[in-house]
Amino acid sequence: MVSLSALDYTLIILFFSITLSIGIYLSKKSGKSSSEFFLSGKTMPWWLLGVSMVATTFSTDTPNLVTDIVRTNGVSGNWVWWAFLITGLLTVFVYAKLWRKSNVNTDIEFYEFRYGGKPATFLRKFRAIYLGVVFNVITMSAVTLAAIKIGGIMLGLEPWQTVVSAGLITVAFSALGGFKGVIYTDFILFFVAMGGAIGAAYYLVNLPEVGGMEAIMTNELVADKLSILPDFSDKNALITLFIIPIAVQWWSSWYPGAEPGGGGYIAQRMLAAKDENHAIGATFFFNIMHYALRPWPWILVALASLVVFPDLASIQEAFPNIANDKLGHDLAYSAMLTKLPSGLLGLVLASLIAAYMSTISTQLNWGSSYVVYDFYKQQINPNASEKKLVAVGRLSTVILMVVSALLALLLQNALQLFELLLVFGAGTGLIFILRWFWWRINAWSEITAMFASGIISILLKLTPLGDFLFKAEDSVFESYLEYPFVVVVTTAIWLAATYLTQPESKAVLQGFYKKIQPGGPGWAKVIEEANKDGVDIVDANETWSVPSGISAMLIGCVLIYSCMFATGYWIYGDYTYAIILTVVALIAAFLLKNVWKKIKTTIL
């Protein structure tokens, strides 16, 4: 526990006051209509949306998660989420424009636009509750759990005290200000959070007991954790930390914020953009910041923590008030922050509060949009007025906050939830990629994939079946062996369901194509049948931009991974690799600029 100075309290109170004031100021305008409350009238610029995406994923649990990964598996362990860059850039250069052209209010509304009949209606309603409530509550509880751990270590707060104090302000400005309040506060929250993370990393790496970057590099407790790539001679590490994420995970799994083809709060921001180009610009900016810049301050603190707190026993000794069920390597980040001086401590605490508020406010607004548009309006009150929809949105915002806070009190660590969410979405990702470009995908494809993935994951996690099939000496390796198994079985099941059920009707498929113009060989049969029926569904002014989009995705991956690696090598003092990778990044940026021009031309 640390003692806060008057300066620290002043910074935190000022931060709280600004964010709450924004919510109150925007409450009247946000309450005019459900479109204003959830999408800000679809008029937002790329830079504001991009910053909001970055701020949202800058959650309180992310530094804890990264710290847990680094302390357990080294820096290379981060490939478990770095691999999602491929998904992110596929969304940028292929799917962002498609989402904006759909003009739906939520990505769940897409189901009754792409599919038809009772299966589509069921899928929309079920996913609204499944994602907007169940998955959303689980995600928010992980963020709140991190806040509980930070409050316990740094301020000596009981879990309920942290939940109440952090949650009240967040739910207040989220319910009052709506989406625009979330976006505007995110802009402030991003700079506060980023400034706090960088300031903390610089100070903590240079603590006397740590000794600076050179001392960290030569410390025997840290030396084997530094590599950005896994040890290729270690089969288990190579498969679990690199091959599975790069070869399978990025395209096969649904995960909040990294959905294949875009979805969730990322889709919400693309739908709120002024036009297709702003949607592309926002998502590209997000991916640059999320992968190339932001991880390193957290990684540095995690490496320094290995010097100060080499194991769990040392953390427990330093903080005896922490309950055993909350003890984990993720606590090391908060433990290191207790060593910050006055002023910087206040800024960092404000930055952690900012990270918490940004993520929770987005999850609340996004989740309540599902409840309002895709469940309440569809199932309960189709004729509800705009004021009624806003009122239901505000009420569901409060309820989601309360339920997630209660769940957070029962959880232990962030990595536990990350793995659970990852396996639960395994095998469904390919559908989200193909449904835009293959006419044969239908509502039953998604329904069977969703249930198959969930049921198989439960059987592997909660019954002896997982141990029987994947018994391994390394529990982490065992856990990751389950993932490709779920992917293969789930994929086989939904493909079988696709061919065993009837395709969507001509009217649905032709209507979808006419509006979206996805192009490609996957729609050849639909176009041919439309021509035979004398129905014109092809816009002659549209060209198929997917090949250029995939080229941009590959070049973008080279650009961002090069920037990320180069940053690491500059920090490590390995200037040869740093210079080479910087040059590679510059070349990739030049090539991407030329490809991007082609993509923009095709959508103007």
Side-chain angles (χ1 to χ4, degrees):
M1 178 177 171
V2 297
S3 298
L4 300 181
S5 67
L7 177 59
D8 295 325
Y9 279 115
T10 300
L11 289 170
I12 294 170
I13 292 171
L14 179 64
F15 170 75
F16 270 131
S17 301
I18 291 173
T19 52
L20 186 58
S21 298
I22 291 173
I24 295 171
Y25 175 74
L26 294 171
S27 61
K28 187 175 181 180
K29 186 172 183 180
S30 294
K32 286 183 178 180
S33 69
S34 57
S35 178
E36 278 290 340
F37 190 79
F38 292 117
L39 292 172
S40 191
K42 301 185 179 182
T43 59
M44 303 302 287
W46 69 267
W47 55 272
L48 202 51
L49 291 171
V51 168
S52 177
M53 291 179 191
V54 183
T56 294
T57 51
F58 202 134
S59 54
T60 320
D61 65 318
T62 312
N64 291 16
L65 172 64
V66 171
T67 301
D68 199 341
I69 289 171
V70 171
R71 288 174 63 90
T72 305
N73 296 316
V75 174
S76 63
N78 285 286
W79 279 103
V80 73
W81 66 275
W82 283 346
F84 282 127
L85 171 65
I86 307 171
T87 306
L89 291 187
L90 191 65
T91 299
V92 171
F93 296 115
V94 176
Y95 293 98
K97 68 168 187 173
L98 301 177
W99 278 113
R100 188 61 188 86
K101 286 169 73 173
S102 71
N103 203 35
V104 294
N105 290 310
T106 69
D107 59 315
I108 300 294
E109 187 181 329
F110 170 88
Y111 289 123
E112 288 191 286
F113 172 49
R114 170 63 176 83
Y115 311 125
K118 291 182 179 179
T121 302
F122 166 79
L123 186 59
R124 180 178 179 183
K125 293 170 185 175
F126 184 85
R127 293 283 282 185
I129 300 301
Y130 181 66
L131 296 181
V133 177
V134 178
F135 257 71
N136 197 22
V137 163
I138 292 174
T139 303
M140 288 192 293
S141 65
V143 179
T144 303
L145 172 65
I148 288 172
K149 293 192 174 189
I150 291 169
I153 279 192
M154 299 191 70
L155 303 174
L157 296 176
E158 293 294 325
W160 71 267
Q161 293 174 317
T162 302
V163 167
V164 171
S165 57
L168 279 178
I169 297 292
T170 307
V171 77
F173 84 75
S174 301
L176 289 172
F179 183 74
K180 187 168 285 186
V182 171
I183 294 294
Y184 284 6
T185 51
D186 274 351
F187 190 76
I188 298 172
L189 298 176
F190 167 74
F191 290 103
V192 173
M194 201 69 224
I198 293 172
Y202 181 81
Y203 183 87
L204 294 173
V205 164
N206 291 291
L207 284 172
E209 58 262 51
V210 176
M213 203 60 220
E214 288 186 10
I216 288 178
M217 297 286 291
T218 56
N219 189 291
E220 61 180 10
L221 297 170
V222 183
D224 64 340
K225 306 284 187 182
L226 292 168
S227 177
I228 298 173
L229 292 173
D231 181 0
F232 281 47
S233 64
D234 184 340
K235 182 185 71 173
N236 286 4
L238 181 63
I239 293 173
T240 60
L241 303 180
F242 191 73
I243 293 178
I244 290 178
I246 288 292
V248 180
Q249 184 178 295
W250 70 268
W251 58 264
S252 64
S253 184
W254 183 97
Y255 185 78
E259 300 87 344
Y265 56 79
I266 299 296
Q268 184 188 33
R269 277 149 181 74
M270 292 188 286
L271 292 169
K274 286 182 178 180
D275 55 37
E276 297 153 34
N277 284 323
H278 279 269
I280 292 174
T283 47
F284 186 58
F285 177 81
F286 158 65
N287 280 279
I288 292 175
M289 297 299 294
H290 184 55
Y291 294 99
L293 173 64
R294 199 173 52 187
W296 283 105
W298 301 331
I299 290 171
L300 292 176
V301 173
L303 293 172
S305 77
L306 287 165
V307 179
V308 181
F309 302 105
D311 51 31
L312 291 180
S314 59
I315 298 175
Q316 190 169 40
E317 183 181 353
F319 304 94
N321 63 313
I322 296 298
N324 288 333
D325 67 338
K326 302 297 183 194
L327 184 66
H329 283 290
D330 55 342
L331 281 174
Y333 189 82
S334 306
M336 291 296 291
L337 298 184
T338 62
K339 299 182 175 295
L340 296 173
S342 175
L344 181 56
L345 176 62
L347 175 63
V348 170
L349 272 174
S351 75
L352 292 172
I353 295 168
Y356 172 82
M357 293 173 70
S358 175
T359 301
I360 293 294
S361 62
T362 288
Q363 297 288 149
L364 289 173
N365 186 266
W366 163 62
S368 63
S369 74
Y370 283 5
V371 174
V372 170
Y373 281 125
D374 303 302
F375 185 77
Y376 178 78
K377 189 175 181 182
Q378 291 296 112
Q379 181 74 19
I380 299 174
N381 190 357
N383 299 316
S385 65
E386 288 297 315
K387 286 189 176 181
K388 184 71 172 178
L389 294 177
V390 172
V392 173
R394 285 173 169 161
L395 177 62
S396 59
T397 296
V398 175
I399 293 173
L400 287 171
M401 182 74 242
V402 172
V403 175
S404 66
L406 292 174
L407 178 60
L409 298 174
L410 305 174
L411 299 174
Q412 184 173 356
N413 65 66
L415 189 57
Q416 177 185 33
L417 269 179
F418 178 83
E419 292 175 352
L420 176 65
L421 290 175
L422 204 59
V423 175
F424 252 74
T428 61
L430 192 58
I431 289 181
F432 303 131
I433 291 174
L434 292 179
R435 64 188 181 181
W436 296 87
F437 297 106
W438 185 27
W439 69 276
R440 194 60 181 81
I441 296 283
N442 61 25
W444 289 110
S445 307
E446 296 215 25
I447 292 170
T448 52
M450 178 174 60
F451 281 104
S453 177
I455 292 170
I456 295 168
S457 299
I458 290 172
L459 289 174
L460 292 178
K461 290 292 184 183
L462 302 181
T463 72
L465 181 62
D467 291 335
F468 175 75
L469 292 174
F470 305 110
K471 192 64 179 175
E473 293 182 6
D474 186 340
S475 60
V476 175
F477 184 60
E478 179 182 330
S479 176
Y480 274 94
L481 282 176
E482 295 173 359
Y483 182 83
F485 175 81
V486 177
V487 170
V488 171
V489 176
T490 300
T491 303
I493 290 172
W494 72 253
L495 278 172
T498 300
Y499 284 107
L500 290 172
T501 55
Q502 291 294 316
E504 300 299 336
S505 68
K506 283 185 181 181
V508 169
L509 294 172
Q510 291 175 7
F512 177 81
Y513 191 95
K514 187 172 184 178
K515 184 172 185 178
I516 302 299
Q517 298 293 309
W523 287 96
K525 182 178 175 63
V526 174
I527 296 172
E528 182 181 343
E529 289 183 351
N531 291 335
K532 288 179 181 178
D533 296 338
V535 180
D536 185 13
I537 64 172
V538 178
D539 185 345
N541 295 319
E542 288 272 356
T543 57
W544 196 39
S545 62
V546 171
S548 297
I550 293 175
S551 297
M553 178 196 77
L554 296 174
I555 297 170
C557 285
V558 173
L559 168 62
I560 294 176
Y561 281 138
S562 296
C563 288
M564 184 174 70
F565 293 169
T567 302
Y569 286 122
W570 284 115
I571 293 170
Y572 288 173
D574 192 338
Y575 299 123
T576 301
Y577 279 123
I579 291 171
I580 292 172
L581 287 165
T582 301
V583 172
V584 171
L586 291 172
I587 294 171
F590 174 77
L591 295 174
L592 182 61
K593 182 180 178 182
N594 293 329
V595 177
W596 195 323
K597 288 179 181 177
K598 295 180 182 178
I599 297 173
K600 289 183 68 175
T601 300
T602 62
I603 65 175
L604 288 176

